[in-house]
Coordinates of all heavy atoms in Angstrom, one line a residue:
M21 N -30.6 55.2 12.5 CA -29.4 54.5 12.3 C -28.6 55.2 11.1 O -29.1 55.3 10.0 CB -29.7 53.1 12.0 CG -28.5 52.2 11.7 SD -28.0 51.4 13.2 CE -26.7 50.3 12.6
G22 N -27.4 55.6 11.4 CA -26.6 56.3 10.4 C -25.8 55.3 9.6 O -25.8 54.1 9.9
P23 N -25.0 55.8 8.7 CA -24.0 55.0 7.9 C -22.9 54.6 8.8 O -22.7 55.2 9.9 CB -23.5 55.9 6.8 CG -23.8 57.3 7.3 CD -25.0 57.2 8.2
P24 N -22.1 53.5 8.5 CA -21.0 53.1 9.3 C -19.9 54.1 9.4 O -19.7 54.9 8.5 CB -20.5 51.8 8.7 CG -21.0 51.9 7.3 CD -22.2 52.7 7.3
V25 N -19.3 54.2 10.6 CA -18.2 55.1 10.8 C -17.0 54.7 10.0 O -16.7 53.4 9.9 CB -17.8 55.1 12.3 CG1 -16.5 55.9 12.6 CG2 -18.9 55.7 13.2
G26 N -16.3 55.6 9.4 CA -15.0 55.3 8.6 C -13.8 55.3 9.5 O -13.1 56.3 9.6
H27 N -13.6 54.2 10.3 CA -12.5 54.2 11.3 C -11.2 54.4 10.6 O -10.3 55.1 11.2 CB -12.6 52.9 12.0 CG -13.8 52.7 12.9 ND1 -14.0 53.5 14.0 CD2 -14.8 51.9 12.8 CE1 -15.1 53.1 14.6 NE2 -15.7 52.2 13.8
K28 N -11.0 53.9 9.4 CA -9.7 54.0 8.7 C -9.4 55.5 8.4 O -8.3 56.0 8.6 CB -9.7 53.2 7.4 CG -8.3 53.0 6.8 CD -8.4 52.0 5.7 CE -7.0 52.0 4.9 NZ -7.1 51.5 3.6
L29 N -10.5 56.2 8.0 CA -10.4 57.6 7.6 C -10.1 58.4 8.9 O -9.2 59.3 8.9 CB -11.8 58.1 7.1 CG -11.8 59.4 6.3 CD1 -11.0 59.3 5.0 CD2 -13.2 59.7 6.0
N30 N -10.7 58.0 10.0 CA -10.5 58.7 11.3 C -9.0 58.5 11.7 O -8.3 59.4 12.2 CB -11.4 58.2 12.4 CG -12.8 58.8 12.2 OD1 -13.0 59.7 11.4 ND2 -13.7 58.2 13.0
Q31 N -8.5 57.3 11.5 CA -7.1 57.0 11.9 C -6.2 57.8 11.1 O -5.2 58.3 11.6 CB -6.9 55.4 11.8 CG -5.5 55.0 12.4 CD -5.4 55.4 13.9 OE1 -6.3 55.1 14.7 NE2 -4.3 56.1 14.2
N32 N -6.5 57.8 9.7 CA -5.6 58.7 8.9 C -5.6 60.1 9.3 O -4.5 60.7 9.3 CB -6.1 58.6 7.4 CG -5.8 57.3 6.7 OD1 -5.0 56.5 7.2 ND2 -6.5 57.0 5.6
A33 N -6.7 60.6 9.7 CA -6.8 62.0 10.2 C -6.0 62.2 11.4 O -5.2 63.2 11.6 CB -8.3 62.4 10.4
L34 N -6.1 61.2 12.3 CA -5.3 61.3 13.6 C -3.8 61.2 13.3 O -3.0 61.9 13.9 CB -5.8 60.1 14.5 CG -5.7 60.3 16.0 CD1 -6.3 61.6 16.5 CD2 -6.3 59.1 16.7
D35 N -3.5 60.3 12.4 CA -2.0 60.1 12.0 C -1.5 61.4 11.5 O -0.4 61.9 11.8 CB -1.8 59.0 11.0 CG -2.1 57.6 11.6 OD1 -2.2 57.5 12.8 OD2 -2.3 56.7 10.8
N36 N -2.3 62.1 10.6 CA -1.8 63.3 10.0 C -1.7 64.4 11.1 O -0.8 65.2 11.0 CB -2.8 63.8 8.9 CG -2.7 62.9 7.7 OD1 -1.6 62.3 7.4 ND2 -3.8 62.8 6.9
L37 N -2.7 64.4 12.0 CA -2.7 65.4 13.1 C -1.5 65.3 13.9 O -0.8 66.3 14.2 CB -4.0 65.2 13.9 CG -4.2 66.2 15.1 CD1 -4.5 67.6 14.6 CD2 -5.2 65.7 16.0
S38 N -1.2 64.0 14.3 CA 0.0 63.9 15.2 C 1.3 64.0 14.5 O 2.3 64.4 15.1 CB -0.1 62.5 16.0 OG -0.2 61.5 15.1
A39 N 1.3 63.8 13.1 CA 2.5 64.1 12.4 C 2.8 65.6 12.3 O 3.9 66.0 12.4 CB 2.4 63.5 11.0
A40 N 1.7 66.3 12.2 CA 1.9 67.8 12.1 C 2.1 68.4 13.5 O 2.9 69.4 13.6 CB 0.6 68.4 11.4
W41 N 1.4 67.9 14.5 CA 1.6 68.4 15.8 C 1.8 67.2 16.8 O 0.8 66.6 17.3 CB 0.3 69.2 16.2 CG 0.1 70.5 15.5 CD1 0.9 71.6 15.7 CD2 -0.8 70.8 14.4 NE1 0.4 72.6 14.8 CE2 -0.6 72.1 14.1 CE3 -1.7 70.0 13.8 CZ2 -1.3 72.7 13.0 CZ3 -2.5 70.6 12.8 CH2 -2.2 71.9 12.4
P42 N 3.0 66.9 17.1 CA 3.3 65.7 17.9 C 2.6 65.7 19.3 O 2.5 64.6 19.9 CB 4.9 65.7 18.0 CG 5.3 66.5 16.8 CD 4.3 67.5 16.5
V43 N 2.3 66.8 19.7 CA 1.6 66.9 21.0 C 0.3 66.0 21.0 O -0.1 65.6 22.1 CB 1.3 68.4 21.4 CG1 0.2 69.0 20.5 CG2 0.9 68.5 22.9
F44 N -0.2 65.7 19.8 CA -1.5 65.0 19.8 C -1.2 63.5 19.6 O -2.2 62.7 19.4 CB -2.3 65.4 18.6 CG -3.0 66.8 18.8 CD1 -2.5 67.9 18.1 CD2 -4.0 66.9 19.6 CE1 -3.0 69.2 18.3 CE2 -4.6 68.2 19.8 CZ -4.1 69.3 19.2
R45 N 0.0 63.0 19.7 CA 0.3 61.6 19.4 C -0.3 60.6 20.3 O -0.6 59.5 19.9 CB 1.8 61.4 19.3 CG 2.6 61.4 20.5 CD 4.1 61.1 20.4 NE 4.8 61.3 21.6 CZ 5.3 62.5 21.9 NH1 5.3 63.5 21.0 NH2 5.9 62.7 23.1
D46 N -0.6 61.0 21.5 CA -1.2 60.0 22.5 C -2.8 60.2 22.6 O -3.4 59.6 23.5 CB -0.6 60.2 23.9 CG 0.9 59.8 23.9 OD1 1.2 58.9 23.1 OD2 1.7 60.4 24.6
V47 N -3.3 61.0 21.7 CA -4.8 61.2 21.7 C -5.5 59.9 21.4 O -5.1 59.2 20.5 CB -5.1 62.4 20.7 CG1 -6.6 62.4 20.4 CG2 -4.7 63.7 21.3
Q48 N -6.6 59.6 22.1 CA -7.5 58.5 21.8 C -8.8 59.0 21.4 O -9.3 60.0 21.9 CB -7.7 57.7 23.1 CG -6.4 57.1 23.8 CD -5.8 56.0 23.0 OE1 -6.5 55.1 22.5 NE2 -4.5 56.0 22.9
V49 N -9.4 58.4 20.4 CA -10.7 58.7 19.9 C -11.7 58.1 21.0 O -11.8 56.9 21.2 CB -11.0 58.2 18.5 CG1 -12.5 58.4 18.2 CG2 -10.1 58.8 17.5
A50 N -12.5 59.0 21.6 CA -13.4 58.5 22.7 C -14.7 58.0 22.0 O -15.3 57.1 22.6 CB -13.7 59.7 23.6
W51 N -15.1 58.6 20.9 CA -16.5 58.3 20.4 C -16.5 58.7 18.9 O -15.9 59.8 18.6 CB -17.5 59.1 21.2 CG -18.9 58.8 20.9 CD1 -19.6 57.6 21.2 CD2 -19.9 59.6 20.1 NE1 -20.9 57.7 20.8 CE2 -21.1 58.9 20.1 CE3 -19.8 60.8 19.5 CZ2 -22.2 59.4 19.5 CZ3 -20.9 61.3 18.9 CH2 -22.1 60.6 18.9
S52 N -17.1 58.0 18.1 CA -17.2 58.3 16.6 C -18.7 58.2 16.2 O -19.4 57.4 16.7 CB -16.4 57.3 15.8 OG -15.1 57.3 16.2
W53 N -19.0 59.0 15.2 CA -20.4 59.0 14.7 C -20.3 59.3 13.2 O -19.4 60.1 12.8 CB -21.2 60.0 15.4 CG -22.6 60.3 14.8 CD1 -23.7 59.6 15.1 CD2 -23.0 61.2 13.9 NE1 -24.7 60.0 14.4 CE2 -24.3 61.1 13.7 CE3 -22.3 62.2 13.2 CZ2 -25.0 61.9 12.8 CZ3 -22.9 63.1 12.3 CH2 -24.3 62.9 12.1
A54 N -21.1 58.8 12.4 CA -21.2 59.1 10.9 C -22.6 59.5 10.6 O -23.6 59.0 11.2 CB -20.8 57.9 10.1
G55 N -22.8 60.4 9.7 CA -24.1 60.9 9.3 C -24.2 61.1 7.8 O -23.2 61.0 7.1
M56 N -25.4 61.3 7.3 CA -25.6 61.6 5.9 C -25.4 63.1 5.7 O -25.7 63.9 6.5 CB -27.1 61.2 5.5 CG -27.4 59.8 5.9 SD -26.5 58.6 5.0 CE -27.3 58.7 3.4
I57 N -25.0 63.5 4.4 CA -24.9 64.9 4.1 C -25.7 65.0 2.8 O -25.7 64.2 1.9 CB -23.5 65.3 3.9 CG1 -23.4 66.8 3.8 CG2 -22.7 64.6 2.8 CD1 -21.9 67.4 4.1
D58 N -26.4 66.2 2.7 CA -27.3 66.4 1.5 C -26.4 67.0 0.4 O -25.9 68.1 0.5 CB -28.5 67.3 1.8 CG -28.0 68.7 2.4 OD1 -26.9 68.7 3.0 OD2 -28.7 69.7 2.2
V59 N -26.3 66.2 -0.7 CA -25.5 66.7 -1.8 C -26.1 66.2 -3.1 O -26.6 65.1 -3.2 CB -24.0 66.2 -1.7 CG1 -23.9 64.7 -1.7 CG2 -23.2 66.8 -2.8
T60 N -26.1 67.1 -4.1 CA -26.8 66.7 -5.4 C -25.7 66.1 -6.4 O -24.5 66.2 -6.1 CB -27.4 67.9 -6.1 OG1 -26.3 68.8 -6.4 CG2 -28.4 68.6 -5.2
P61 N -26.1 65.5 -7.5 CA -25.1 64.9 -8.4 C -24.0 65.9 -8.9 O -22.9 65.5 -9.1 CB -26.0 64.4 -9.6 CG -27.3 64.1 -8.9 CD -27.5 65.2 -7.9
N62 N -24.4 67.2 -9.1 CA -23.3 68.1 -9.5 C -22.9 69.1 -8.4 O -22.3 70.1 -8.7 CB -23.8 68.9 -10.7 CG -24.9 69.9 -10.5 OD1 -25.4 70.0 -9.4 ND2 -25.3 70.6 -11.5
S63 N -23.3 68.7 -7.2 CA -22.9 69.5 -6.0 C -23.5 70.9 -5.8 O -23.1 71.6 -4.9 CB -21.3 69.6 -5.8 OG -20.8 68.3 -5.7
N64 N -24.3 71.3 -6.8 CA -25.0 72.6 -6.6 C -26.3 72.3 -5.9 O -27.0 71.3 -6.2 CB -25.3 73.2 -8.0 CG -24.2 74.0 -8.6 OD1 -23.2 74.4 -7.8 ND2 -24.2 74.4 -9.8
P65 N -26.7 73.2 -5.0 CA -28.0 72.9 -4.3 C -29.2 73.0 -5.3 O -29.1 73.5 -6.4 CB -28.0 74.1 -3.3 CG -27.2 75.2 -3.9 CD -26.1 74.5 -4.6
V66 N -30.3 72.6 -4.8 CA -31.6 72.7 -5.5 C -32.3 73.9 -4.8 O -32.6 73.8 -3.6 CB -32.4 71.4 -5.4 CG1 -33.8 71.7 -5.9 CG2 -31.8 70.3 -6.1
I67 N -32.7 74.9 -5.6 CA -33.4 76.0 -5.0 C -34.5 76.3 -6.1 O -34.2 76.7 -7.2 CB -32.5 77.3 -4.9 CG1 -31.3 77.0 -4.0 CG2 -33.3 78.4 -4.3 CD1 -30.3 78.1 -3.9
G68 N -35.8 76.1 -5.7 CA -36.8 76.4 -6.6 C -38.0 75.5 -6.5 O -38.1 74.6 -5.7
P69 N -39.0 75.8 -7.4 CA -40.2 75.0 -7.4 C -40.0 73.6 -7.9 O -39.1 73.3 -8.6 CB -41.2 75.8 -8.3 CG -40.2 76.5 -9.2 CD -39.0 76.8 -8.5
V70 N -40.9 72.7 -7.6 CA -41.0 71.3 -8.1 C -42.3 71.2 -8.9 O -43.4 71.2 -8.4 CB -40.9 70.3 -7.0 CG1 -41.0 68.9 -7.6 CG2 -39.6 70.5 -6.2
A71 N -42.1 71.1 -10.3 CA -43.3 71.2 -11.1 C -44.3 70.1 -10.9 O -45.5 70.3 -11.0 CB -42.8 71.1 -12.6
Q72 N -43.8 69.0 -10.4 CA -44.7 67.8 -10.2 C -45.6 68.0 -9.0 O -46.5 67.2 -8.8 CB -43.8 66.5 -10.0 CG -43.1 66.1 -11.2 CD -41.7 66.8 -11.4 OE1 -41.4 67.8 -10.8 NE2 -40.9 66.2 -12.3
L73 N -45.3 69.0 -8.1 CA -46.1 69.2 -6.9 C -46.3 70.7 -6.7 O -45.5 71.4 -6.1 CB -45.5 68.6 -5.7 CG -46.3 68.4 -4.5 CD1 -47.6 67.6 -4.8 CD2 -45.5 67.7 -3.4
A74 N -47.4 71.2 -7.3 CA -47.7 72.7 -7.3 C -47.6 73.2 -5.9 O -48.2 72.6 -5.0 CB -49.0 72.9 -7.9
G75 N -46.9 74.3 -5.7 CA -46.9 75.0 -4.4 C -45.6 74.6 -3.6 O -45.3 75.2 -2.6
L76 N -45.0 73.5 -4.0 CA -43.8 73.1 -3.3 C -42.5 73.8 -3.8 O -42.2 73.7 -5.0 CB -43.6 71.5 -3.4 CG -42.3 71.0 -2.7 CD1 -42.4 71.1 -1.2 CD2 -42.1 69.5 -3.1
T77 N -41.8 74.4 -2.9 CA -40.5 75.0 -3.3 C -39.4 74.3 -2.4 O -39.6 74.2 -1.2 CB -40.4 76.5 -3.0 OG1 -41.4 77.1 -3.9 CG2 -39.0 77.1 -3.3
V78 N -38.4 73.8 -3.0 CA -37.3 73.1 -2.3 C -36.1 73.9 -2.3 O -35.7 74.5 -3.2 CB -37.0 71.7 -3.1 CG1 -35.8 71.0 -2.5 CG2 -38.3 70.8 -3.0
V79 N -35.4 73.9 -1.1 CA -34.1 74.5 -0.9 C -33.3 73.6 -0.1 O -33.4 73.5 1.1 CB -34.3 75.9 -0.1 CG1 -33.0 76.6 0.0 CG2 -35.4 76.8 -0.8
T80 N -32.4 72.8 -0.8 CA -31.7 71.7 -0.2 C -30.4 71.4 -1.0 O -30.2 72.0 -2.1 CB -32.6 70.5 0.0 OG1 -31.9 69.5 0.9 CG2 -32.9 69.8 -1.3
G81 N -29.7 70.4 -0.5 CA -28.5 69.9 -1.3 C -27.3 70.9 -1.2 O -26.5 71.0 -2.1
F82 N -27.1 71.5 0.0 CA -26.0 72.4 0.2 C -24.7 71.8 0.5 O -23.7 72.5 0.7 CB -26.4 73.5 1.2 CG -27.5 74.4 0.8 CD1 -28.8 74.1 0.9 CD2 -27.1 75.5 0.1 CE1 -29.8 74.9 0.5 CE2 -28.1 76.4 -0.4 CZ -29.5 76.1 -0.2
S83 N -24.7 70.5 0.7 CA -23.4 69.7 1.1 C -22.8 70.5 2.2 O -23.4 70.7 3.2 CB -22.5 69.5 -0.1 OG -22.0 70.7 -0.7
G84 N -21.5 70.9 2.1 CA -20.8 71.5 3.1 C -20.8 73.0 3.1 O -19.9 73.7 3.7
H85 N -21.8 73.6 2.5 CA -21.8 75.1 2.3 C -23.1 75.8 2.6 O -23.3 76.9 2.2 CB -21.4 75.4 0.8 CG -20.1 74.7 0.4 ND1 -18.9 75.1 0.8 CD2 -20.0 73.5 -0.3 CE1 -18.0 74.2 0.3 NE2 -18.6 73.3 -0.4
G86 N -23.9 75.1 3.4 CA -25.3 75.7 3.6 C -25.3 76.8 4.6 O -26.2 77.6 4.5
F87 N -24.3 76.9 5.5 CA -24.3 78.1 6.4 C -23.9 79.4 5.6 O -24.6 80.4 5.6 CB -23.4 77.9 7.5 CG -23.8 76.8 8.5 CD1 -22.8 76.0 9.1 CD2 -25.1 76.6 8.8 CE1 -23.1 75.0 10.0 CE2 -25.4 75.5 9.7 CZ -24.4 74.8 10.2
G88 N -22.8 79.3 4.9 CA -22.2 80.4 4.2 C -23.1 80.9 3.1 O -23.2 82.2 2.9
T89 N -23.8 80.0 2.4 CA -24.6 80.5 1.3 C -26.1 80.7 1.6 O -26.8 81.2 0.7 CB -24.5 79.4 0.1 OG1 -25.0 78.2 0.6 CG2 -23.1 79.3 -0.4
S90 N -26.4 80.5 2.8 CA -27.9 80.5 3.2 C -28.5 81.9 2.9 O -29.7 82.0 2.5 CB -28.1 80.0 4.6 OG -27.4 80.8 5.5
P91 N -27.8 83.1 3.2 CA -28.5 84.3 3.0 C -28.9 84.5 1.5 O -30.0 84.9 1.1 CB -27.5 85.4 3.4 CG -26.6 84.7 4.4 CD -26.5 83.3 3.9
A92 N -27.9 84.2 0.6 CA -28.2 84.3 -0.9 C -29.2 83.2 -1.3 O -30.1 83.5 -2.1 CB -26.9 84.1 -1.7
A93 N -29.1 82.0 -0.8 CA -30.1 81.0 -1.1 C -31.5 81.3 -0.7 O -32.5 81.2 -1.4 CB -29.6 79.6 -0.5
G94 N -31.6 81.9 0.5 CA -32.9 82.3 1.0 C -33.5 83.4 0.2 O -34.7 83.4 -0.1
Q95 N -32.6 84.4 -0.2 CA -33.1 85.5 -1.1 C -33.6 84.9 -2.4 O -34.7 85.3 -2.9 CB -32.0 86.5 -1.3 CG -32.5 87.6 -2.3 CD -31.6 88.8 -2.3 OE1 -30.8 89.0 -1.4 NE2 -31.9 89.7 -3.3
L96 N -32.9 84.0 -3.0 CA -33.3 83.4 -4.3 C -34.6 82.7 -4.1 O -35.5 82.8 -5.0 CB -32.2 82.5 -4.9 CG -32.6 81.9 -6.2 CD1 -33.0 82.9 -7.3 CD2 -31.4 81.0 -6.7
A97 N -34.7 81.9 -3.1 CA -35.9 81.1 -2.8 C -37.1 82.1 -2.7 O -38.2 81.9 -3.3 CB -35.8 80.3 -1.6
A98 N -36.9 83.2 -1.9 CA -38.0 84.1 -1.7 C -38.4 84.8 -3.0 O -39.6 85.0 -3.3 CB -37.6 85.2 -0.7
E99 N -37.4 85.2 -3.8 CA -37.8 85.8 -5.1 C -38.5 84.8 -6.0 O -39.5 85.3 -6.7 CB -36.5 86.2 -5.8 CG -35.8 87.4 -5.1 CD -34.3 87.6 -5.5 OE1 -33.7 86.7 -6.1 OE2 -33.8 88.7 -5.2
L100 N -38.2 83.6 -6.0 CA -38.9 82.6 -6.8 C -40.3 82.4 -6.3 O -41.3 82.3 -7.1 CB -38.1 81.3 -6.9 CG -36.8 81.4 -7.7 CD1 -36.0 80.0 -7.5 CD2 -37.0 81.7 -9.1
I101 N -40.4 82.3 -5.0 CA -41.8 82.1 -4.4 C -42.7 83.3 -4.7 O -43.8 83.1 -5.0 CB -41.6 81.8 -2.9 CG1 -41.0 80.4 -2.6 CG2 -43.0 81.9 -2.2 CD1 -40.6 80.2 -1.2
C102 N -42.1 84.5 -4.6 CA -42.9 85.7 -4.8 C -43.0 86.1 -6.2 O -43.7 87.1 -6.6 CB -42.3 86.9 -4.0 SG -42.3 86.6 -2.2
N103 N -42.4 85.3 -7.1 CA -42.5 85.5 -8.6 C -41.9 86.9 -8.9 O -42.5 87.6 -9.8 CB -43.9 85.4 -9.0 CG -44.0 84.8 -10.4 OD1 -43.0 84.3 -10.9 ND2 -45.1 84.9 -11.1
T104 N -40.9 87.3 -8.3 CA -40.2 88.6 -8.6 C -38.9 88.2 -9.4 O -38.5 87.1 -9.4 CB -39.8 89.4 -7.4 OG1 -39.0 88.7 -6.6 CG2 -41.1 89.8 -6.6
T105 N -38.3 89.2 -10.1 CA -37.2 88.9 -10.9 C -36.0 88.6 -10.0 O -35.6 89.5 -9.2 CB -36.8 90.2 -11.8 OG1 -37.9 90.5 -12.5 CG2 -35.6 89.9 -12.7
P106 N -35.4 87.4 -10.1 CA -34.3 87.1 -9.2 C -33.0 87.9 -9.5 O -32.8 88.3 -10.7 CB -34.0 85.6 -9.5 CG -35.1 85.2 -10.5 CD -35.7 86.4 -11.1
L107 N -32.3 88.2 -8.5 CA -31.0 88.9 -8.6 C -30.0 88.1 -9.4 O -29.2 88.6 -10.1 CB -30.5 89.2 -7.2 CG -29.4 90.2 -7.0 CD1 -29.8 91.6 -7.5 CD2 -28.9 90.3 -5.6
V108 N -30.0 86.8 -9.2 CA -29.1 85.9 -10.0 C -29.9 84.9 -10.8 O -31.1 84.7 -10.6 CB -28.2 85.1 -9.0 CG1 -27.3 86.0 -8.2 CG2 -29.0 84.1 -8.1
N109 N -29.2 84.4 -11.8 CA -29.9 83.4 -12.7 C -30.2 82.1 -11.9 O -29.3 81.5 -11.4 CB -28.9 83.1 -13.9 CG -29.4 82.0 -14.8 OD1 -30.6 81.6 -14.7 ND2 -28.6 81.6 -15.7
P110 N -31.5 81.7 -11.8 CA -31.8 80.6 -11.0 C -31.6 79.3 -11.7 O -31.6 78.2 -11.1 CB -33.3 80.8 -10.8 CG -33.8 81.6 -11.9 CD -32.6 82.4 -12.4
D111 N -31.3 79.3 -13.0 CA -31.2 78.0 -13.8 C -30.3 77.0 -13.2 O -30.7 75.8 -13.2 CB -30.8 78.3 -15.3 CG -31.9 79.0 -16.0 OD1 -33.0 79.2 -15.4 OD2 -31.7 79.5 -17.2
P112 N -29.1 77.3 -12.8 CA -28.2 76.3 -12.2 C -28.7 75.6 -11.0 O -28.2 74.5 -10.6 CB -26.9 77.0 -11.9 CG -27.0 78.3 -12.7 CD -28.4 78.6 -12.8
Y113 N -29.7 76.1 -10.4 CA -30.2 75.6 -9.1 C -31.6 75.0 -9.2 O -32.1 74.4 -8.2 CB -30.3 76.8 -8.0 CG -29.0 77.5 -8.0 CD1 -28.8 78.8 -8.5 CD2 -27.8 76.9 -7.5 CE1 -27.6 79.5 -8.5 CE2 -26.6 77.5 -7.5 CZ -26.5 78.8 -8.0 OH -25.3 79.5 -8.0
L114 N -32.2 75.1 -10.3 CA -33.6 74.6 -10.5 C -33.6 73.0 -10.4 O -32.8 72.3 -10.9 CB -34.2 75.0 -11.8 CG -34.5 76.5 -11.9 CD1 -35.1 76.9 -13.2 CD2 -35.4 77.0 -10.7
F115 N -34.6 72.5 -9.7 CA -34.8 71.0 -9.6 C -35.0 70.4 -11.0 O -34.5 69.3 -11.3 CB -36.1 70.8 -8.7 CG -36.4 69.3 -8.5 CD1 -35.5 68.5 -7.8 CD2 -37.5 68.7 -9.1 CE1 -35.8 67.2 -7.6 CE2 -37.8 67.4 -8.9 CZ -36.9 66.6 -8.2
S116 N -35.6 71.2 -11.9 CA -35.9 70.7 -13.3 C -34.6 70.3 -14.0 O -34.7 69.6 -15.0 CB -36.7 71.7 -14.0 OG -36.1 72.9 -14.1
R117 N -33.5 70.8 -13.6 CA -32.2 70.5 -14.3 C -31.9 69.0 -14.2 O -31.1 68.4 -15.0 CB -31.0 71.3 -13.8 CG -30.5 70.8 -12.4 CD -29.4 71.8 -12.0 NE -28.6 71.4 -10.8 CZ -28.9 71.7 -9.6 NH1 -30.0 72.3 -9.3 NH2 -28.1 71.3 -8.6
F118 N -32.5 68.3 -13.3 CA -32.3 66.8 -13.2 C -33.4 66.0 -13.9 O -33.4 64.8 -13.9 CB -32.3 66.4 -11.7 CG -31.1 67.0 -11.0 CD1 -31.3 67.8 -9.9 CD2 -29.8 66.7 -11.3 CE1 -30.2 68.4 -9.2 CE2 -28.7 67.3 -10.7 CZ -28.9 68.1 -9.6
A119 N -34.4 66.7 -14.4 CA -35.6 66.0 -15.1 C -35.1 65.4 -16.3 O -34.3 66.0 -17.1 CB -36.7 67.0 -15.3
A120 N -35.6 64.2 -16.6 CA -35.1 63.5 -17.8 C -35.8 64.1 -19.1 O -36.8 64.7 -19.0 CB -35.5 62.0 -17.7
Ligands
FAD10 C1 -19.6 68.2 9.2 C2 -20.2 69.4 8.5 C3 -19.5 70.6 8.4 C4 -20.1 71.6 7.8 N1 -19.4 72.8 7.7 C5 -20.0 73.9 7.1 C6 -19.2 75.1 7.0 O1 -18.1 75.3 7.5 N2 -19.8 76.2 6.3 C7 -21.0 76.0 5.7 O2 -21.5 77.0 5.1 N3 -21.7 74.9 5.8 C8 -21.2 73.8 6.4 N4 -21.9 72.6 6.5 C9 -23.2 72.5 5.8 C10 -24.4 73.0 6.6 O3 -24.4 72.5 7.9 C11 -25.7 72.6 5.9 O4 -25.6 73.0 4.5 C12 -26.9 73.3 6.5 O5 -27.0 72.9 7.9 C13 -28.1 72.8 5.8 O6 -29.2 73.5 6.4 P1 -30.6 73.0 6.0 O7 -31.5 73.9 6.9 O8 -30.8 73.0 4.6 O9 -30.7 71.5 6.5 P2 -30.5 70.9 8.0 O10 -29.6 71.8 8.8 O11 -30.1 69.4 7.7 O12 -31.9 70.9 8.6 C14 -32.9 70.0 8.2 C15 -33.8 69.7 9.4 O13 -35.0 69.0 9.0 C16 -35.2 68.0 9.9 N5 -36.0 67.0 9.2 C17 -35.5 66.1 8.3 N6 -36.5 65.3 7.9 C18 -37.6 65.6 8.6 C19 -39.0 65.2 8.6 N7 -39.4 64.2 7.8 N8 -39.8 65.8 9.4 C20 -39.4 66.9 10.2 N9 -38.1 67.4 10.2 C21 -37.3 66.7 9.4 C22 -33.8 67.6 10.4 O14 -33.9 66.9 11.6 C23 -33.1 68.9 10.4 O15 -33.2 69.5 11.7 C24 -21.4 71.5 7.1 C25 -22.1 70.3 7.2 C26 -21.5 69.2 7.9 C27 -22.2 67.9 7.9

């Protein structure tokens, strides 16, 4: 069971669409669905080990950018797992940045 559909948001989108392109003014929404998206408090993904569970490496929280950034994210994750020097500074992506 997902979150409720934002019908008002969908209607706004449809209104904007038909305002920009009148050919769409008679379009009917046939079906709507809402889902969760993985996003962290500062919108940067989590890439790296989780100190509380030895051996666990997490790569998540890409919000709307996980396809485009996946090659670089995968490389950073592999470098951290293999304990080699990362090409980029991993600090902004470490899970530990959220630790109290
Ligand atoms: C509407 C929308 C548009 C987007 N557009 C873009 C875009 O234009 N460009 C871009 O770069 N990114 C875009 N993204 C983001 C991109 O889709 C995600 O960042 C990317 O898919 C994340 O990949 P992932 O492998 O980390 O997670 P997912 O693709 O979410 O994969 C996780 C998988 O784990 C499975 N899973 C979850 N829990 C369990 C469990 N307990 N046991 C077993 N399996 C489990 C899920 O079923 C899923 O298959 C968009 C996302 C959305 C929602």
Side-chain angles (χ1 to χ4, degrees):
M21 179 93 172
V25 171
H27 293 292
K28 195 172 169 199
L29 198 65
N30 285 351
Q31 190 56 53
N32 284 347
L34 207 51
D35 292 345
N36 289 336
L37 180 71
S38 54
W41 290 286
V43 70
F44 288 107
R45 69 176 172 270
D46 295 326
V47 162
Q48 302 285 321
V49 175
W51 187 76
S52 303
W53 173 87
M56 306 294 284
I57 191 164
D58 58 331
V59 61
T60 65
N62 71 356
S63 297
N64 276 346
V66 172
I67 305 171
V70 176
Q72 292 84 345
L73 195 54
L76 175 68
T77 297
V78 173
V79 185
T80 191
F82 289 90
S83 62
H85 309 283
F87 294 144
T89 58
S90 59
Q95 177 166 345
L96 178 57
E99 289 164 343
L100 293 173
I101 290 168
C102 295
N103 214 17
T104 57
T105 305
L107 194 62
V108 297
N109 177 10
D111 292 352
Y113 309 107
L114 294 178
F115 181 69
S116 56
R117 74 186 193 268
F118 296 118

